[in-house]
Amino acid sequence: MSFVLGLVVGLMVGVGLIVLFVKSENSRSKLRSELATTIVAFARMTVEDSRKIFTPDQYPSWVVFSNQQKLKWLNSHLEKLWPYVDEAASELVRSSVEPILEQYRPMILASLKFSKFTLGTVAPQFTGISILEDGSEGITMELEMQWDGNPSIILDIKTYVGVALPVQVKNIGFTGVFRLIFRPLVDEFPCFGAVCYSLRQKKKLDFTLKVVGGDMTAIPGISDAIEGTIRDAIEDSITWPVRKIIPILPGDYSDLELKPTGVLEVKLVQAKELTNKDLIGKSDPFAELYVRPVRDRMKKSKTINNQLNPVWNEHFEFVVEDPLTQHLVVKIYDDEGLQAAELIGCAHIRLNELEPGKVKDVWLKLVKDLEIQRDQKNRGQVHLELLYCPYGMKNGFSNPFAPNVSMTSLEKVLKSGAEGNVLQNGGEINRRKDVIVRGVLSVTVISADDLAPTDLMGKADPYVVITMKKTETKNKTRVVPESLNPVWNQTFDFVVEDGLHDMLILEVWDHDTFGKDYMGRCILTLTKVLMEGEYKESFELDGAKSGKLNLHLKWAPQPIYRDS
């Protein structure tokens, strides 16, 4: 029944909104006539279909009603309504997208506006439809559609050197899923208070740019800049979790607006076995991370030169609006200097896989494309540490990266020195957030299992070197002769000045009279031990055919008198 109600509601609100935006009274009256015909046809179709599938011992199930029939019916009526949709939606899209275009306008342009915007004569085609049962007091409908349209869209572009370029957006090909949310449900016609609409998923968006009566190459880089601006505008104006709210009945619908729900703390630890993109030497990898692919919300790591197993140890923070549907994307590139960077591989993880308040340590396999999962080539892996911190979490958990930790006088001096680049005109800059956490880290190297042999006799003489990355303080265990399952049970204490941003590196070596052989390593951040106090865990060795290292970590905060 929710499907039927969803279709009726969707039809009524969709056409009702068109009536609202269509300006001429003549067009409104024609549209009302089409609406009446459509509703009558829909009513007849639903009654006839329910008779076919209803039996005394079975409640009518609209799943039996084939999607093909539903979509054929919807598409035929959309074609009739399309001239009115074009008139209404063109002005609506123009007025809502134009300010976003200005927001993301490239620096080389003085202005960027629409001089013409119509959706053309070709209506989109619905290819899928579903009603989501999300437990909320409303109806959520998703419509999958594709559109190879013939719109007439011309951007009026002006540069600072006085050049005016009318740029036509042509050959648009689009496939995506639109989401409609009808909420709250009320006992007053039309039975819901407001409707939200959003582009839930953008599967494909292709278009070409052409200067009317001119050449796009007249200004180098202009095509890429405009294309990037258009994609940013779509992402930031209508792509989920962004949603547009249209009140139908009087009321306060602020609870439907887009709001941050929490913060995702991401530590980009390292990558391994990256594909080499360089003919001479090795790739120079850097990472790009985002939850929403909007320019001012995307983060970029530093570049590690000539390295296929880079260690970054960089921390990033992202605002989360919908942890149920959003995901973190990581893309690893090879820095090509003045040329465009080349993609090595990408990966993503859904935020609904994270337990709030718990650190998740993951290795993600890199692939060529996140949409097409047919890539069998080994492109490497990326190592992340993730912590999702919802706002208002009531179990006593607090975000260790939050900036509300009071500092000592020494810490204030250190921080102010690192943030000395304040603008003189009173403006603000984005400052790196440093929360300093001091303490003593106790590392117990318990044992190792299933180490790979290094000598001809199938044995090894292993020992472990423990290093704190920031201070480069080192300790090492004793050598255990002729063992692939050595037991050390040795504890080492390290005074740590900045626990949130330091790393622990453990390397296993084979002792030899005339040198040493590398047997693998594991790299750990300290976030988990800072939050839990202590824990035991086994860690697989990177760079080894086999082997695990068994550790016990314990954190003792160093008592510091802080300013009130």
Side-chain angles (χ1 to χ4, degrees), residues 39 43 91 112 121 123 132 150 179 212 220-221 253 255 261 286 303 318-319 321 327 330 341 388 396 484 530 551 559:
I39 291 177
E91 183 58 35
L112 181 61
T121 59
L132 304 184
N150 60 345
R179 171 175 285 189
V212 180
Y253 303 111
D255 61 316
T261 61
F286 69 89
T303 298
F318 299 92
V319 174
E321 290 96 356
H327 49 263
V330 184
Y388 174 55
L484 299 181
L530 290 176
L551 305 174

Side-chain angles (χ1 to χ4, degrees), residues 224-289:
D224 290 342
I226 296 173
E227 181 176 336
T229 299
I230 291 173
R231 294 184 185 276
D232 280 342
I234 293 172
E235 191 69 39
D236 205 14
S237 63
I238 194 174
T239 304
W240 184 266
V242 177
R243 75 290 304 261
K244 299 294 183 182
I245 303 170
I246 301 178
I248 304 300
L249 300 174
D252 179 11
Y253 303 111
S254 57
D255 61 316
L256 301 179
E257 295 175 356
L258 177 67
K259 296 184 181 71
T261 61
V263 172
L264 177 66
E265 305 286 354
V266 178
K267 191 162 283 187
L268 174 66
V269 183
Q270 60 179 320
K272 66 179 181 181
E273 301 173 2
L274 297 180
T275 302
N276 191 9
K277 294 291 186 179
D278 291 352
L279 296 177
I280 301 175
K282 299 177 181 178
S283 296
D284 307 315
F286 69 89
E288 185 178 79
L289 305 92

Side-chain angles (χ1 to χ4, degrees), residues 22-126:
V22 171
K23 296 177 181 178
S24 68
E25 184 59 36
N26 184 41
S27 295
R28 289 191 184 198
S29 62
K30 289 181 180 179
L31 191 55
R32 289 191 190 100
S33 175
E34 287 288 345
L35 174 59
T37 304
T38 300
I39 291 177
V40 170
F42 179 75
R44 287 175 178 170
M45 183 184 66
T46 55
V47 170
E48 290 172 3
D49 189 75
S50 65
R51 287 174 179 168
K52 293 177 184 177
I53 62 177
F54 180 75
T55 60
D57 60 341
Q58 180 183 15
Y59 191 80
S61 169
W62 286 90
V63 177
V64 179
F65 186 69
S66 72
N67 275 331
Q68 187 175 4
Q69 273 186 289
K70 296 172 200 165
L71 298 174
K72 183 178 179 181
W73 179 83
L74 283 173
N75 287 327
S76 66
H77 281 276
L78 180 59
E79 289 179 5
K80 295 178 183 178
L81 296 172
W82 185 246
Y84 310 104
V85 175
D86 178 30
E87 182 178 352
S90 294
E91 183 58 35
L92 182 63
V93 172
R94 179 174 183 163
S95 61
S96 60
V97 173
E98 207 166 62
I100 308 295
L101 283 176
E102 180 64 21
Q103 177 184 340
Y104 288 104
R105 172 173 51 84
M107 296 295 293
I108 58 176
L109 302 181
S111 68
L112 181 61
K113 297 178 182 284
F114 290 113
S115 62
K116 187 175 182 180
F117 192 107
T118 61
L119 295 177
T121 59
V122 179
Q125 292 290 299
F126 292 119

